[in-house]
Amino acid sequence: MISINNLYKEYTIGTIDHRSLKEDLKVLFNRIVKKNKFEKTLGQENQKNKIIALNNINLKISKGEIVGLIGKNGSGKSTLLKIISKITSPTNGQIELKGKVASLLEVGVGFHPELTGLENIYLNGSIFGLEKNEILEIESEIIEFSEIEKFIKTPIKRYSSGMLVKLGFSIAAHLRPDIFIVDEVLAVGDNNFREKALSKILEFSKKKEKVVFFVSHNMDLISKICNRCILLKDGQVEFDGDTKFAIKKYLDN
């Protein structure tokens, strides 16, 4: 479902590049023609102004896997998820996805604040590629699962962060994604909804049809639902395998 090969992501600190089209084409040409030299030159060019967020990531994720992604802040977790979600692009390397991706990375992302909760359901469904009649079929399920039926016709700019998480998770989970990505945002919701959301994720696992990426600093949750765990450190995969061993290695460090 997910194949990642030689993935790099580099950021420039404190500056915004304003290059001409000619300069952009030159950079692109160099990356294509000199691809085999990328690893050697990456750490040499303006190193003091650059940070490598992801450094040579190679992963294969199959159907039915619930993958925990752990590591300290700044280890590259969010960057990796944003690349998988196509929010940002890699500096170098390849990523292949089979199926549709639904992600819940930040509270309120993908919502229009002036639209109601109901209107945002249709907006997100349309962006995801569903027809109006397909959204209509799952509308009641989304609203019921979100527990905010009373406020569904209220503009979401008046929602609390907890309400936004409930609606966001409910939409993402019911859009029938093949790859479902959940970041730390579930920590914002109340305990009852969190348990319900985790049950939904486990339901995906039992069907063996989807891939779930779950990111959390709560090791109890990771051990409870993940059948595989990836530990990132300084933008690199330090460990990939048994969840209990990954957590032990993370905590020991």
Side-chain angles (χ1 to χ4, degrees), residues 4 6-11 38 42 51-57 59 69 74-84 88-92 95 232-237:
I4 299 173
N6 304 316
L7 191 70
Y8 290 85
K9 181 61 179 179
E10 179 185 275
Y11 291 106
F38 183 80
L42 188 61
I51 182 170
I52 302 175
L54 296 174
N55 188 358
N56 194 28
I57 302 293
L59 293 170
L69 191 59
S75 61
K77 302 187 300 298
S78 294
T79 300
L80 178 58
L81 296 186
K82 286 177 180 178
I83 290 175
I84 296 173
T88 188
S89 57
T91 303
N92 203 61
I95 177 167
L232 291 184
K233 183 178 180 181
D234 299 327
Q236 295 180 302
V237 176

Side-chain angles (χ1 to χ4, degrees), residues 19-36 38 45 89-93:
R19 295 192 296 252
S20 65
L21 177 59
K22 179 181 177 181
E23 290 169 328
D24 281 335
L25 290 173
K26 184 179 178 181
V27 170
L28 179 61
F29 175 78
N30 286 336
R31 285 180 181 167
I32 295 172
V33 175
K34 302 177 182 178
K35 188 175 180 181
N36 61 333
F38 183 80
E45 299 177 3
S89 57
T91 303
N92 203 61

Side-chain angles (χ1 to χ4, degrees), residues 11-15 42-51:
Y11 291 106
T12 302
I13 302 172
T15 61
L42 188 61
Q44 300 171 359
E45 299 177 3
N46 300 322
Q47 190 63 34
K48 63 180 181 179
N49 293 325
K50 295 182 182 296
I51 182 170

Side-chain angles (χ1 to χ4, degrees), residues 116-128:
T116 66
L118 183 60
E119 290 168 336
N120 271 287
I121 290 174
Y122 279 84
L123 174 63
N124 276 266
S126 298
I127 293 172
F128 199 70

Side-chain angles (χ1 to χ4, degrees), residues 153-184:
K153 293 185 178 179
T154 301
I156 65 163
K157 65 183 180 182
R158 299 193 177 99
Y159 283 16
S160 67
S161 58
M163 292 167 66
L164 287 172
V165 166
K166 287 182 176 183
L167 182 60
F169 182 90
S170 187
I171 292 174
H174 288 85
L175 287 180
R176 301 163 189 162
D178 300 296
I179 301 167
F180 188 33
I181 298 172
V182 185
D183 206 338
E184 191 70 36

Side-chain angles (χ1 to χ4, degrees), residues 17-252:
D17 293 330
H18 295 286
R19 295 192 296 252
S20 65
L21 177 59
K22 179 181 177 181
E23 290 169 328
D24 281 335
L25 290 173
K26 184 179 178 181
V27 170
L28 179 61
F29 175 78
N30 286 336
R31 285 180 181 167
I32 295 172
V33 175
K34 302 177 182 178
K35 188 175 180 181
N36 61 333
K37 298 180 181 179
F38 183 80
E39 288 185 49
K40 296 179 182 179
T41 60
L42 188 61
Q44 300 171 359
E45 299 177 3
N46 300 322
Q47 190 63 34
K48 63 180 181 179
N49 293 325
K50 295 182 182 296
I51 182 170
I52 302 175
L54 296 174
N55 188 358
N56 194 28
I57 302 293
N58 293 278
L59 293 170
K60 306 285 184 185
I61 314 291
S62 302
K63 272 186 181 181
E65 290 191 286
I66 297 185
V67 183
L69 191 59
I70 62 176
K72 68 178 184 179
N73 291 336
S75 61
K77 302 187 300 298
S78 294
T79 300
L80 178 58
L81 296 186
K82 286 177 180 178
I83 290 175
I84 296 173
S85 302
K86 298 183 179 180
I87 294 173
T88 188
S89 57
T91 303
N92 203 61
Q94 294 181 326
I95 177 167
E96 296 179 10
L97 306 173
K98 294 182 180 179
K100 294 182 178 180
V101 181
S103 57
L104 189 64
L105 301 181
E106 295 177 23
V107 176
V109 170
F111 287 151
H112 192 297
E114 298 297 330
L115 299 180
T116 66
L118 183 60
E119 290 168 336
N120 271 287
I121 290 174
Y122 279 84
L123 174 63
N124 276 266
S126 298
I127 293 172
F128 199 70
L130 298 182
E131 299 291 336
K132 184 177 180 180
N133 63 321
E134 292 178 299
I135 303 172
L136 187 61
E137 287 178 6
I138 58 175
E139 175 192 312
S140 58
E141 294 178 46
I142 292 173
I143 295 172
E144 182 181 355
F145 191 93
S146 70
E147 303 175 351
I148 58 167
E149 183 175 3
K150 183 178 179 180
F151 308 99
I152 201 65
K153 293 185 178 179
T154 301
I156 65 163
K157 65 183 180 182
R158 299 193 177 99
Y159 283 16
S160 67
S161 58
M163 292 167 66
L164 287 172
V165 166
K166 287 182 176 183
L167 182 60
F169 182 90
S170 187
I171 292 174
H174 288 85
L175 287 180
R176 301 163 189 162
D178 300 296
I179 301 167
F180 188 33
I181 298 172
V182 185
D183 206 338
E184 191 70 36
V185 291
L186 276 184
V188 178
D190 57 66
N191 288 331
N192 289 336
F193 185 81
R194 190 180 304 123
E195 288 298 320
K196 188 164 72 168
L198 293 176
S199 295
K200 190 72 174 178
I201 292 173
L202 288 171
E203 184 182 312
F204 290 158
S205 176
K206 290 175 183 177
K207 292 180 179 179
K208 300 290 184 182
E209 296 174 350
K210 305 178 188 296
V211 166
V212 178
F213 258 111
F214 187 76
V215 182
S216 178
H217 289 287
N218 187 326
M219 296 302 109
D220 288 335
L221 288 181
I222 292 288
S223 62
K224 184 177 180 180
I225 70 170
C226 298
N227 50 32
R228 174 181 172 186
C229 193
I230 297 168
L231 171 61
L232 291 184
K233 183 178 180 181
D234 299 327
Q236 295 180 302
V237 176
E238 186 173 24
F239 178 81
D240 177 7
D242 180 74
T243 300
K244 289 183 179 179
F245 189 85
I247 292 173
K248 183 179 184 304
K249 190 173 181 65
Y250 171 62
L251 295 176
D252 286 347

